[in-house]
């Protein structure tokens, strides 16, 4: 089992990130692998039917190896929540990124080198422009419509683990990160994968990135030019796909318990703690008056707390609201 080696300073530099472009990579991998990752068969069947031809190089590239991707496709996240376009720009538009060097290393672990890999290796500028269009087309056709639901699941995962770390310590959070794929025993974080020498984080810490499409293990991004990253299955991924990707219950099993619209409010507040009524209404696609009514009902039930400053109201989940959300989505 490969292991990451933590120093005390690394423990203080552990952070989470939600990265839509990285989810796009994982989704493309799920579409292209000969055997679908657990739970994704029905989703894959439906999405293959709408995959545009221009996006096929993305699927080929992301599924060329079961565990590895070229390093330049997973750039250092500048913040804990980046937009798809910002990530895409960081990956494909920075002329200083050593694309040919990364592609040479990637080609070295492949049994067969696809055309898209060969083009990136020998004509990187042209290939990156083509890939930019391909990734945008893939994201729009395959992921964009589902992203609000997927993002809510990822945000809930991060919120749960952040609370666990706050209440019981980072040690407890790492110990329960993703069993059985991840094992923690200070100073080592072991994870599933081919045997490899221990990798010392060297004071750079670790970025933990949950994924809804990575249902068959963990992936890592380890190189000398950026903070190490570990991608792991979100704790609700299995149930989400068993529930048909949230399409039968637009907000998971919680919608059946308290109603679809109020469940949507709770999820939106988990994703946007402290947001105002207007922002909440925009996120839900309803009028501010409707959003205010839903919040008032949840506030009376003890699930939401509202604080006011001047004429601005800010809404957050109470511990009971967070507990209800956690209990019904995983």
């Amino acid at each position: 089992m490969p292991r990451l080696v933590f120093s005390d300073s690394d423990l203080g530099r552990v952070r989470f990130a939600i990265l839509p472009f990285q989810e796009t990579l994982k989704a493309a991998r799920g579409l292209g692998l000969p055997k679908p990752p657990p739970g994704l068969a029905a989703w894959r069947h439906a999405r293959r039917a709408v995959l545009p031809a221009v996006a096929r190089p993305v699927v080929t590239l992301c599924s060329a190896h079961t565990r590895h991707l070229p390093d330049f496709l997973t750039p250092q996240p500048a913040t804990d929540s980046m937009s798809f376009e910002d990530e895409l720009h960081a990956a494909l538009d920075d002329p200083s990124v050593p694309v040919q060097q990364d592609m040479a290393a990637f080609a070295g672990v492949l049994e067969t080198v696809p055309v898209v890999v060969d083009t990136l290796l020998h004509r990187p500028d042209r290939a990156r422009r083509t890939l930019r269009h391909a990734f945008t087309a893939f994201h729009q056709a395959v992921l964009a419509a589902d992203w609000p639901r997927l993002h809510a699941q990822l945000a809930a995962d991060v919120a749960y683990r952040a609370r666990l770390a706050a209440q019981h310590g980072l040690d407890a959070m790492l110990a329960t990160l993703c069993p059985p794929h991840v094992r923690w025993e200070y100073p080592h974080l072991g994870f599933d994968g081919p045997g490899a020498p221990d990798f010392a984080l060297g004071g750079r810490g670790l970025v933990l990135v949950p994924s809804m499409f990575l249902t068959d293990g963990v992936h890592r991004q380890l190189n000398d030019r950026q903070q190490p990253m570990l991608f792991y299955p979100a704790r609700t991924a299995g149930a989400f796909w068993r529930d048909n990707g949230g399409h039968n219950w637009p907000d998971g099993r919680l919608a059946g318990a308290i109603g679809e619209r109020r469940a949507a409010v709770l999820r939106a507040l988990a994703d946007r703690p402290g947001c105002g009524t207007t922002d909440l209404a925009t996120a839900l696609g309803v009028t501010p008056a409707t959003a205010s009514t839903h919040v008032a009902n949840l506030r009376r039930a003890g699930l939401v707390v509202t604080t006011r400053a001047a004429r601005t109201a800010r809404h957050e989940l109470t511990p009971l609201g967070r507990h209800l959300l956690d209990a019904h989505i995983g």
Side-chain angles (χ1 to χ4, degrees), residues 101-210:
Q101 176 184 324
D102 288 354
M103 291 311 302
F106 183 59
V109 301
L110 301 180
E111 293 183 5
T112 303
V113 178
V115 172
V116 62
V117 173
D118 186 71
T119 305
L120 279 163
L121 188 57
H122 295 101
R123 294 187 294 279
D125 293 339
R126 174 184 172 185
R128 281 203 289 184
R129 288 194 297 270
T130 300
L131 267 186
R132 195 179 216 293
H133 294 301
F135 271 116
T136 300
F138 180 94
H139 182 78
Q140 288 299 319
V142 174
L143 211 64
D146 290 331
W147 181 244
R149 283 187 293 272
L150 294 167
H151 189 275
Q153 299 287 326
L154 298 172
D157 183 276
V158 171
Y160 168 80
R161 299 186 194 284
R163 291 196 300 276
L164 186 63
Q167 294 169 1
H168 302 288
L170 189 62
D171 211 50
M173 187 277 288
L174 291 173
T176 59
L177 182 63
C178 186
H181 301 298
V182 175
R183 299 175 189 171
W184 167 251
E185 186 174 350
Y186 181 82
H188 299 114
L189 186 73
F191 53 92
D192 287 350
D198 287 354
F199 185 91
L201 297 180
R204 293 179 295 168
L206 182 67
V207 184
L208 295 170
V209 186

Side-chain angles (χ1 to χ4, degrees), residues 18 80-81 148-149 151-160 162-163 251 254 262-275 280 283-284 295 298 303-305 315-318 321-326 329:
I18 296 175
D80 60 359
S81 185
R149 283 187 293 272
H151 189 275
Q153 299 287 326
L154 298 172
D157 183 276
V158 171
Y160 168 80
R163 291 196 300 276
D251 286 283
L254 181 57
R262 291 175 189 172
V265 174
L266 289 187
R267 287 185 181 277
L269 290 178
D271 190 21
R272 303 167 179 82
C275 75
L280 179 62
L284 297 172
V295 168
L298 292 169
L303 304 177
V304 171
V305 61
H315 313 294
E316 295 185 68
L317 298 183
T318 65
R322 290 193 297 266
H323 176 75
L324 180 63
L325 192 62
D326 287 340
I329 64 174

Side-chain angles (χ1 to χ4, degrees), residues 199-272:
F199 185 91
L201 297 180
R204 293 179 295 168
L206 182 67
V207 184
L208 295 170
V209 186
S211 172
M212 295 299 291
F213 292 96
L214 192 61
T215 61
D216 55 349
V218 299
H219 288 181
R220 83 289 181 278
Q221 170 71 327
L222 307 174
N223 60 49
D224 293 332
R225 65 177 188 256
Q226 66 183 68
Q227 190 175 18
M229 303 168 70
L230 188 70
F231 301 86
Y232 65 92
R235 61 192 289 267
T236 62
F240 181 83
W241 297 118
R242 284 195 299 272
D243 289 342
N244 196 25
H247 287 284
N248 289 336
W249 293 107
D251 286 283
R253 293 196 300 273
L254 181 57
I258 67 170
E260 175 184 327
R261 293 188 177 182
R262 291 175 189 172
V265 174
L266 289 187
R267 287 185 181 277
L269 290 178
D271 190 21
R272 303 167 179 82

